[in-house]
Amino acid sequence: QKEVEQNSGPLSVPEGAIASLNCTYSDRGSQSFFWYRQYSGKSPELIMFIYSNGDKEDGRFTAQLNKASQYVSLLIRDSQPSDSATYLCAVNAGGTSYGKLTFGQGTILTVHP
Amino acid sequence: GAGVSQSPSNKVTEKGKDVELRCDPISGHTALYWYRQRLGQGLEFLIYFQGNSAPDKSGLPSDRFSAERTGESVSTLTIQRTQQEDSAVYLCASSLGGVNQPQHFGDGTRLSIL
């Protein structure tokens, strides 16, 4: 069973702080990793994607991938109340699972003023 | 530009009825995916279409569920003899295809079975 695990939270951070969201996956052969943001009652919105070990930065967001340890994280700098949402980690294992994403349960992030 | 379009946005039906959900992918996207999200839960993969290849149906929960796609255009997800446990948001996504291509989601169809 290929699994993606996230802390459900809620994770609460003050405005302006760094929010750190973590995700682990069980399939060592996984090839690509995605972070989605989902506001309540809305559909998932792509935030970041990463394929190679290391860091990838886009504005206030940094994705970090460590394939040896099988974890991927998302850092949100200068957190804003508008960042309050559920963050979904998704993994594409490739191989016979070529097309589908396996999602974690999501981490609820609350940024308080 | 136009994103993934799904219809209807909401559907309420009685147990035992059949329902058909529609997804229009982003133009040029060869891959199309259906997921289900029950209330308070994560996304469950249902089915995946890539071009003219045979679809990956490995996530369909029962033979009451089926999906079709004509070429690289619209897809329909059909649920026959609906049950209350089918109540969920059904999300469609599309991508350029390939394991590294991100999937972009539509707004979903909220299905409620009475």
Side-chain angles (χ1 to χ4, degrees):
Chain A
Q1 179 73 18
K2 298 172 183 174
E3 293 183 349
V4 178
E5 300 286 343
Q6 295 180 254
N7 283 330
S8 61
L11 174 65
S12 181
V13 300
E15 184 175 356
I18 295 175
S20 178
L21 305 162
N22 299 313
C23 171
T24 59
Y25 57 95
S26 62
D27 187 342
R28 183 170 290 277
S30 296
Q31 298 188 26
S32 53
F33 308 85
F34 304 86
W35 283 99
Y36 288 86
R37 177 175 63 196
Q38 187 173 30
Y39 292 114
S40 181
K42 301 295 186 181
S43 64
E45 171 193 9
L46 181 71
I47 297 296
M48 293 281 293
F49 54 93
I50 187 167
Y51 316 130
S52 304
N53 276 329
D55 295 0
K56 179 181 178 183
E57 187 175 318
D58 183 1
R60 296 187 296 112
F61 299 96
T62 299
Q64 299 176 317
L65 175 61
N66 183 323
K67 289 188 176 180
S69 300
Q70 294 175 238
Y71 84 78
V72 57
S73 62
L74 179 70
L75 301 178
I76 306 175
R77 289 181 300 282
D78 188 25
S79 296
Q80 301 297 310
S82 59
D83 294 327
S84 299
T86 297
Y87 288 80
L88 302 171
C89 173
V91 175
N92 191 320
T96 57
S97 305
Y98 190 75
K100 63 186 178 185
L101 294 178
T102 301
F103 283 82
Q105 290 293 97
T107 298
I108 299 170
L109 172 66
T110 300
V111 181
H112 53 87
Chain B
V4 177
S5 177
Q6 292 188 246
S7 62
S9 54
N10 284 283
K11 177 73 175 178
V12 181
T13 192
E14 294 180 347
K15 176 182 172 181
K17 301 287 189 183
D18 296 353
V19 296
E20 190 171 278
L21 312 179
R22 176 188 169 106
C23 173
D24 199 345
I26 293 171
S27 178
H29 279 193
T30 59
L32 186 148
Y33 315 80
W34 285 97
Y35 294 87
R36 176 171 72 177
Q37 188 173 31
R38 291 191 167 117
L39 187 64
Q41 303 295 313
L43 276 75
E44 299 173 70
F45 167 79
L46 296 178
I47 189 168
Y48 155 57
F49 297 90
Q50 170 63 60
N52 294 318
S53 301
D56 177 352
K57 303 179 180 181
S58 60
L60 294 179
S62 78
D63 59 7
R64 297 187 295 105
F65 288 72
S66 62
E68 292 184 349
R69 187 185 187 196
T70 304
E72 295 182 354
S73 61
V74 171
S75 174
T76 55
L77 176 69
T78 301
I79 309 173
Q80 296 178 309
R81 306 181 301 281
T82 52
Q83 304 294 312
Q84 287 187 331
E85 63 261 29
D86 299 333
S87 295
V89 176
Y90 289 81
L91 290 158
C92 177
S94 71
S95 79
L96 290 170
V99 68
N100 288 343
Q101 292 297 328
Q103 298 178 21
H104 299 273
F105 285 84
D107 290 337
T109 294
R110 184 175 300 275
L111 177 64
S112 300
I113 310 299
L114 302 179

